[in-house]
Amino acid sequence: MPTEVTYGLPYDQWNWRIGVYIAMIGLAGGAYLTGYVADLLAEKRDSRQYGQVATFGYLVGLGGLAIGPPILLSHLAAPFRAMMIPLTMTNLGSWMSIGAYMLMGFGLGTTLMFLWLAFGTNRPHVQTLDSSNEVAADGGEDVAADGGPAKAATSDETAGGFRGAANKVGLMNLLDSIADYTRPSRRNRLVVGALFGIFAAGVLVYSAMAYGSGSTERVALWDPTFLLPVQILTGLGAGLTIAVGLAALAERDVGRPIQNCSLGAAGLLAGGLVAVLATLFLLPEQIPEAQPAVDNLTSAYALEFVGIALVGGLLLPIVLSIAGTLGVRRDALSDSGAVGAYVAAAALVVAGKLALALSYLMAAEFTPMPLPV
Amino acid sequence: MSTQDSNGGPARVIPNWESCIDCGACEVACQRTWDLPPESDRIQVVAIEHGTDNETNKPMQCYNCAEAPCIDVCPTEALHYTDNGSVRVSGDKCIGCHYCGVGCPFGAPQFPDGEVPEAQESEPLGARGNGLMDKCTTCEPRQENDLEPACSSECPTDALLFGTPEELSEKLDEDNVSTPFNEESAQIIFGDDADEVMGD
């Protein structure tokens, strides 16, 4: 076992901002990818609720980008220099450079996909007056709000949801016009979405590699073999859980598509839970240097890791997602009860993802550094 | 004594841990010579096997690695090799992301908060403050004047050896001691010259 070297405790090269950044971009990448799958299903099955999950998946992608990268910039000593990314991030062998370019491509992709689904008079996956009429029946109505009288797409009376917000600031007509003008055909939109999905997948992988890759892989807890499945599965699961929660809240009822997505989210979160448990039990066997950090996770950071991340952020959302779906299917739970379960699961995974990222960061950073001597 | 122009790889400072008496003279020499801010630790006397009965304190600094992990991970190429193979940081390219700090297995990168003028950020021997990366320069200006780095020059027990890989090997042989590095570390630090320094 390498000699441990202590450079003065606490050893805190990175602080909570890096944890929040990693959690947010992981959520964003996962939400985009699961949203894209829902988008495909919506096209294939002509299902508006899958379309809702897709729309909110892209929205969560945008939200993650709106929160994560600015917080990272606030951590940097020279944030304005870093914002000149195309000029400054020139070492393409560095995962931070790769990640920066991935985030740029992903940002463009999730913006366009959200714009094309949520705005315009001919946006996909909205309720139509009849199947032969392609003009959206809900017109300018918030796509999130089901039922009620159809309104003109450019109505000033539109309220609620992101369309309502756009309307309030006077941007809806502009966004509708841009969306209608730029939106490709259905097939081409999905092809474009798949191409941007490569960037989303890259962001998801980067959310693991950002922890500190490099030729020495100095921090044993961040071994990519274990960390990649953790970040990918929890990112996909959390992203989908949030998209489902928001879609259910907007719909106020849970049809089969939302139920199916919820079960899918539970499966992904369960995969994430298994990956985390594998890290706890198998990583120290394979890399003994990881033992102090793993011990930290279950002792010094037990509240954040076991309490909030594992139980609150993974286990409970799995239970809520499954219980909400089975409850509705067996008539043991009202639609509003299921909506409540999905929304609670969504809120919990956000807290859990943040706690997981922070505990992985803190538990490792506050461990004496094993020096290869 | 070698200089940065010597053949056989750049001249480096490496520790002879068996001679170190934990006096901290190297830290003082470095800070005083370069008028560094108090937050800067271009060389640090650090705890080895901290919290155990075997705990000791030894000097650690940048080894100007031949296969430098910090250069691999630096997104902006602020870290780079000089013509003679030493590792340097350009303060005016560094964004202060600490990625090098996480990647370096020797804890060399420092990020002192002390305020320095913009002009000093651009100086080729490190930014020295503003939260940007700073590290040992093997006292390049002193070498240009045929002087050893301040830390090795002022170490009372010759616990800091300075020279090219070939010269370091000779010094270690003379003292009948080995480097504190294992094969993995030696490969990172000395690259193709690792076998020469490590010996049998």
Side-chain angles (χ1 to χ4, degrees):
Chain A
M1 185 171 175
T3 303
E4 286 186 347
V5 175
T6 305
Y7 287 87
L9 291 174
Y11 182 68
D12 55 352
Q13 299 264 8
W14 284 345
N15 61 24
W16 63 270
R17 291 185 178 94
I18 302 297
V20 173
Y21 167 67
I22 287 172
M24 287 296 117
I25 63 172
L27 277 177
Y32 180 97
L33 288 172
T34 53
Y36 180 73
V37 172
D39 203 352
L40 289 175
L41 289 170
E43 284 291 336
K44 189 176 176 184
R45 301 182 185 178
D46 195 21
S47 165
R48 193 173 64 86
Q49 283 205 338
Y50 275 126
Q52 286 284 69
V53 174
T55 306
F56 281 106
Y58 299 140
L59 181 64
V60 172
L62 269 179
L65 280 185
I67 298 169
I71 287 180
L72 172 76
L73 286 174
S74 74
H75 167 77
L76 300 178
F80 295 109
R81 196 180 289 169
M83 285 169 72
M84 303 293 286
I85 283 171
L87 298 176
T88 59
M89 302 271 186
T90 48
N91 178 11
L92 291 180
S94 164
W95 263 102
M96 193 168 175
S97 298
I98 295 168
Y101 287 106
M102 286 287 172
L103 282 167
M104 287 173 63
F106 173 59
L108 177 65
T110 194
T111 301
L112 286 175
M113 294 300 279
F114 174 69
L115 178 77
W116 290 336
L117 280 197
F119 291 93
T121 53
N122 295 310
R123 58 189 181 278
H125 312 321
V126 291
Q127 207 166 31
T128 54
L129 283 170
D130 63 65
S131 57
S132 63
N133 186 349
E134 291 188 356
V135 176
D138 68 347
E141 180 92 335
D142 172 19
V143 292
D146 196 13
K151 297 173 183 173
T154 55
S155 169
D156 290 338
E157 296 171 18
T158 304
F162 33 77
R163 287 182 63 79
N167 190 46
K168 278 183 181 170
V169 295
L171 286 175
M172 196 166 77
N173 288 343
L174 176 65
L175 291 173
D176 277 343
S177 300
I178 294 172
D180 282 334
Y181 183 74
T182 59
R183 186 186 298 110
S185 67
R186 289 190 167 200
R187 183 178 173 180
N188 286 344
R189 186 183 66 79
L190 291 173
V191 170
V192 170
L195 293 175
F196 284 125
I198 295 169
F199 289 103
V203 167
L204 204 48
V205 170
Y206 167 59
S207 75
M209 303 309 287
Y211 264 109
S213 57
S215 56
T216 57
E217 288 165 11
R218 183 181 67 70
V219 183
L221 180 64
W222 301 338
D223 178 74
T225 307
F226 287 87
L227 191 55
L228 274 169
V230 168
Q231 286 296 100
I232 289 172
L233 289 167
T234 60
L236 290 169
L240 183 54
T241 303
I242 300 167
V244 166
L246 291 172
L249 186 65
E251 290 282 293
R252 301 289 204 280
D253 80 286
V254 288
R256 278 270 166 176
I258 287 183
Q259 294 170 29
N260 292 341
C261 287
S262 182
L263 289 179
L268 289 165
L269 291 176
L273 183 59
V274 169
V276 175
L277 293 176
T279 304
L280 284 183
F281 294 110
L282 300 180
L283 177 63
E285 280 181 19
Q286 298 191 15
I287 304 176
E289 295 88 341
Q291 188 67 60
V294 169
D295 290 343
N296 272 349
L297 285 174
T298 53
S299 56
Y301 298 98
L303 174 63
E304 296 91 337
F305 179 68
V306 180
I308 304 176
L310 294 194
V311 177
L314 289 171
L315 201 56
L316 277 179
I318 292 168
V319 171
L320 285 168
S321 297
I322 294 172
T325 299
L326 294 184
V328 169
R329 288 187 181 179
R330 293 179 182 175
D331 290 329
L333 196 65
S334 65
D335 267 15
S336 59
V339 169
Y342 294 157
V343 170
L348 284 169
V349 293
V350 175
K353 188 76 173 133
L354 285 168
L356 186 69
L358 287 168
S359 53
Y360 259 68
L361 187 78
M362 306 294 273
E365 288 257 300
F366 284 74
T367 302
M369 188 173 79
L371 181 73
V373 296
Chain B
M1 185 204 75
S2 292
T3 71
Q4 58 184 339
D5 297 317
S6 299
N7 294 323
R12 298 182 177 87
V13 175
I14 66 165
N16 173 1
W17 281 357
E18 292 171 36
S19 298
C20 176
I21 58 171
D22 185 22
C23 65
C26 52
E27 291 179 319
V28 174
C30 179
Q31 297 249 351
R32 191 190 61 228
T33 302
W34 300 109
D35 192 24
L36 296 172
E39 302 92 341
S40 180
D41 286 305
R42 288 183 176 180
I43 186 167
Q44 297 182 76
V45 176
V46 301
I48 308 288
E49 304 205 34
H50 179 69
T52 71
D53 292 341
N54 297 325
E55 180 173 332
T56 54
N57 293 280
K58 307 294 183 191
M60 298 280 291
Q61 85 281 30
C62 176
Y63 299 115
N64 291 281
C65 300
E67 298 173 6
C70 58
I71 291 181
D72 289 344
V73 300
C74 177
T76 62
E77 295 185 291
L79 282 151
H80 57 274
Y81 294 109
T82 60
D83 290 342
N84 79 323
S86 294
V87 177
R88 290 286 176 268
V89 57
S90 300
D92 56 349
K93 284 187 179 176
C94 177
I95 57 174
C97 67
H98 294 215
Y99 221 46
C100 51
V102 177
C104 173
F106 307 111
Q110 305 292 314
F111 304 91
D113 289 331
E115 288 190 15
V116 302
E118 190 177 341
Q120 255 184 335
E121 278 188 17
S122 305
E123 85 115 296
L125 293 180
R128 310 197 330 161
N130 293 352
L132 304 173
M133 194 271 213
D134 186 53
K135 72 171 193 73
C136 163
T137 64
T138 53
C139 289
E140 195 173 290
R142 283 175 58 91
Q143 287 190 55
E144 287 167 0
N145 292 312
D146 285 333
L147 294 169
E148 283 196 3
C151 57
S152 61
S153 175
E154 298 198 24
C155 175
T157 60
D158 287 335
L160 290 162
L161 308 177
F162 173 67
T164 62
E166 189 179 329
E167 291 166 336
L168 291 172
S169 176
E170 286 173 11
K171 287 181 181 178
L172 291 167
D173 285 345
E174 279 173 20
D175 294 347
N176 197 27
V177 293
S178 61
T179 71
F181 309 115
N182 65 12
E183 283 183 21
E184 181 191 351
S185 298
Q187 183 64 38
I188 293 169
I189 296 168
F190 300 107
D192 293 340
D193 294 323
D195 289 342
E196 182 178 356
V197 180
M198 292 293 283
D200 299 328

